[in-house]
Amino acid sequence: MTGANGTHRNLYPGGRYVHVAASMPGYRGNIYLILDISDRANPREAGRWWVPGQHEAGGESFFDALPTNASHSRRRAEPMRFQAQCMCGAFCSGAGEDVSLHGPAYVTGNHVYLPYGAAGMIVLDISDVSQPRQIGGLSFSPPFHSRFGVHGVLPVPDQGIAFANSEDVTYGQGAAHHASIVDISDPSAPFLLSLFPEPVPPAAAPYSDFTTRGGWRGPHNINHHQHHPDVEKQGDLFYIAHFNAGLRIYDVSNRRLLREVGYFIPPEPTRRYGPMPEDKLVLQTEDVMVDRRGFIYISDKNQGIWILRYTGERPQARRA
């Protein structure tokens, strides 16, 4: 128990430490917590980090954390907070806050990459786990939407890149979502390389785009658990669950020119098994996992699981 609303998406790659997106007393939104489980019967906190402004009990405020040259109107608007438009705050432990660690944190050596909502992608040095230290970051909000502005990050250090994406819970309103590739060859100075193209509906679809068809739209989860020996390692095919557009598969061999090469759109659900989506009942592809045999597992909010295999073209040798 965290003493507040619990945790959301956490990482345990084995070993001594668990990396947690935790709701903690006195903080707005989830923060990053490192848990030492070397004594399984008595886990203990080893370190924590938060975005300046989150620690309200410590006297912090996002007003104070804004740059000194921020306009008066921007200070009054407090852009780091967004009025809840869905129930997501109820199960993401962030209490409806835009600046909140969605998780999972992703560890590579002494660095950890944090998908921190409106605060963007954050890179910490955790060589001293008791004192995590920010060394880099990349903001996405604006221009992209604020709530869950960075929802997931998957760094691939040996390729010098990270995949990042938002989660759009606005039912077709507001600023755009994104799925992106970021250059992390220098973790202290990441920069945007490219954006994934938006899915296009099939020719026979009774809707002209995925924004207006109902439900949540845009990217959600990716083939994240790269530390697991049974998960396909990230290569030149990238798999992403795209809510009301199903599973999308991209050729990422050219980092500057991403190309969709396959998709699977499940049938529409016919029965609700939960409260989401809050508008009309449409498919909502949530998760994707690809095993080392090439089997693809996707889940839907109201329908369960499909097991697929990609049979399309394979990328050629990397061109960029």
Side-chain angles (χ1 to χ4, degrees):
M1 297 294 292
T2 65
N5 294 326
T7 70
H8 187 44
R9 289 168 59 85
N10 308 316
L11 176 77
Y12 179 60
R16 181 173 181 173
Y17 299 112
V18 180
H19 302 267
V20 179
S23 173
M24 300 292 286
Y27 292 86
R28 291 181 64 172
N30 296 346
I31 69 169
Y32 174 51
L33 191 72
I34 303 173
L35 192 65
D36 185 336
I37 60 167
S38 54
D39 180 352
R40 297 294 199 267
N42 297 287
R44 65 176 184 85
E45 180 181 329
R48 67 172 66 182
W49 187 90
W50 64 91
V51 170
Q54 282 189 276
H55 192 198
E56 289 189 317
E60 295 181 4
S61 164
F62 285 129
F63 289 122
D64 299 331
L66 284 172
T68 56
N69 63 351
S71 69
H72 179 67
S73 62
R74 184 175 177 220
R75 285 177 175 273
R76 290 187 61 193
E78 193 176 352
M80 295 296 196
R81 184 171 171 82
F82 187 84
Q83 291 299 315
Q85 299 188 36
C86 65
M87 295 181 64
C88 57
F91 53 78
C92 289
S93 305
E97 300 296 336
D98 283 16
V99 177
S100 179
L101 175 58
H102 182 275
Y106 209 94
V107 178
T108 62
N110 288 328
H111 294 155
V112 61
Y113 291 77
L114 305 179
Y116 226 109
M121 182 190 83
I122 291 173
V123 188
L124 305 181
D125 183 325
I126 55 169
S127 51
D128 179 354
V129 295
S130 68
Q131 295 184 319
R133 178 175 60 89
Q134 184 172 359
I135 61 166
L138 184 63
S139 176
F140 284 85
S141 305
F144 300 105
H145 65 84
S146 182
R147 172 71 63 82
F148 307 126
V150 178
H151 162 279
V153 175
L154 175 62
V156 190
D158 61 335
Q159 298 179 26
I161 62 170
F163 297 90
N165 68 276
S166 65
E167 178 184 15
D168 190 339
V169 298
T170 65
Y171 293 95
Q173 304 300 311
H177 52 252
H178 72 93
S180 311
I181 293 184
V182 177
D183 187 298
I184 59 166
S185 53
D186 178 356
S188 68
F191 61 87
L192 185 66
L193 272 179
S194 54
L195 295 169
F196 284 84
E198 279 291 294
V200 175
Y207 44 86
S208 59
D209 58 67
F210 289 108
T211 297
T212 58
R213 72 162 305 199
W216 289 359
R217 58 177 175 140
H220 189 221
N221 285 328
I222 58 183
N223 190 33
H224 227 131
H225 299 287
Q226 295 288 298
H227 58 278
H228 197 290
D230 290 330
V231 170
E232 181 180 288
K233 296 302 174 273
Q234 180 58 54
D236 287 338
L237 285 178
F238 184 71
Y239 308 84
I240 188 164
H242 228 276
F243 279 134
N244 65 8
L247 170 70
R248 318 305 292 199
I249 304 174
Y250 295 91
D251 177 346
V252 296
S253 57
N254 185 331
R255 307 307 194 202
R256 297 282 190 175
L257 185 63
L258 312 178
R259 187 169 60 93
E260 186 175 89
V261 293
Y263 67 86
F264 175 80
I265 301 178
E268 297 295 342
T270 58
R271 176 181 173 185
R272 286 188 182 272
Y273 288 90
M276 311 300 288
E278 293 172 295
D279 62 354
K280 64 183 179 181
L281 182 62
V282 298
L283 71 96
Q284 298 278 262
T285 303
E286 286 276 325
D287 303 290
V288 58
M289 193 278 287
V290 187
D291 71 23
R292 59 190 172 89
R293 302 168 299 179
F295 289 109
I296 306 165
Y297 305 81
I298 64 170
S299 65
D300 181 274
K301 272 185 166 72
N302 289 287
Q303 298 185 84
I305 294 173
W306 279 263
I307 303 175
L308 315 168
R309 183 185 283 278
Y310 175 68
T311 58
E313 63 178 289
R314 292 281 168 176
Q316 302 300 310
R318 185 168 299 131
R319 296 180 290 276

